[in-house]
Amino acid sequence: LDFDQLEIENYALKNILPSANSSNISRIIENNDKELFFVINRVGLYHFDITKNKANKLTDPQLQKITSISGIINKHKTNKLLIAAEGENAYNVFIYKQPNNPVFLEKITLPRIGTYADNTISVLTEDPNGNLYIGTYNGLLKKPLNGDVELITGDIRFINDIKIDSKNQIWAATEKDGVFYISHTNGKYKINRVDLKIKNYESLGVQSIVCRKTGETYLATKEGGIFV
């Protein structure tokens, strides 16, 4: 991309959805059919038709119940939409009867982690093999492509982001305890914590991770640091 020549178009929410009472768009995703969907915070999920410059709220009854979305992903291996509602220890699975119309299929409940009552899902990430990694307030879980949900660890909490690096290691960014990377072989996991200290100052609130194909991992922190 030539960023000096990049054309940026602005699709203002007030123009594509005049009825919207909120302008807080928290997430945007694309499915395998190149259809775009976005979340208005504490309102719900909308489909965006970029060719018509128009958005509409989706009609599935289960989707309409989910106004506060804490995690969302389009699972590319199966072209299914996964949505987690804030405060629920579960995620909802939707299939596409038409490319722009997800329909409820099932709800997957997570195993309980310890004695914690709130196990809200905060992030959903898919690896190249179609395995799903689930970050929650109280632990990290995995849903194999053809298997049941399993707990990786309950020691990593308040997870903000999950990424998979070029070595197939799992990186987990947390709100209060920095960042971890997890190597795994034959179902056994080794958890490593990265020390993000510069001149005795430690960054604990890691917000986002980028794992490059060339092997580097970039971390963005709440304290204003970018670590490589």
Side-chain angles (χ1 to χ4, degrees), residues 11-58:
Y11 297 90
L13 189 60
K14 65 180 180 179
N15 294 332
I16 66 174
L17 190 68
S19 61
N21 294 319
S22 171
S23 59
N24 187 350
I25 298 177
S26 57
R27 301 168 191 265
I28 187 166
I29 64 166
E30 182 183 60
N31 69 11
N32 292 9
D33 298 299
K34 308 301 181 184
E35 297 288 344
L36 290 170
F37 302 86
F38 64 87
V39 175
I40 299 180
N41 191 39
R42 303 197 180 281
V43 178
L45 185 69
Y46 289 77
H47 171 252
F48 178 35
D49 187 337
I50 197 168
T51 62
K52 296 180 179 179
N53 195 28
K54 183 180 179 181
N56 60 279
K57 200 168 193 305
L58 298 167

Side-chain angles (χ1 to χ4, degrees), residues 75 77-78 91 108 125-127 129-134 141-152 189:
K75 206 162 183 294
K77 199 78 172 180
T78 57
Y91 63 87
I108 305 293
T125 297
E126 182 183 17
D127 74 9
N129 297 315
N131 300 306
L132 179 70
Y133 292 93
I134 306 162
L141 303 100
K142 176 183 178 182
K143 170 70 169 65
L145 180 61
N146 297 306
D148 297 326
V149 178
E150 59 190 49
L151 177 66
I152 294 176
Y189 298 92

Side-chain angles (χ1 to χ4, degrees), residues 107-124:
K107 178 177 279 192
I108 305 293
T109 301
L110 305 184
R112 189 177 181 88
I113 303 175
T115 58
Y116 301 112
D118 185 358
N119 196 34
T120 292
I121 294 172
S122 50
V123 60
L124 300 162

Side-chain angles (χ1 to χ4, degrees), residues 86-97:
E86 185 177 351
E88 287 193 355
N89 185 40
Y91 63 87
N92 300 271
V93 182
F94 298 83
I95 58 173
Y96 298 96
K97 284 202 170 180

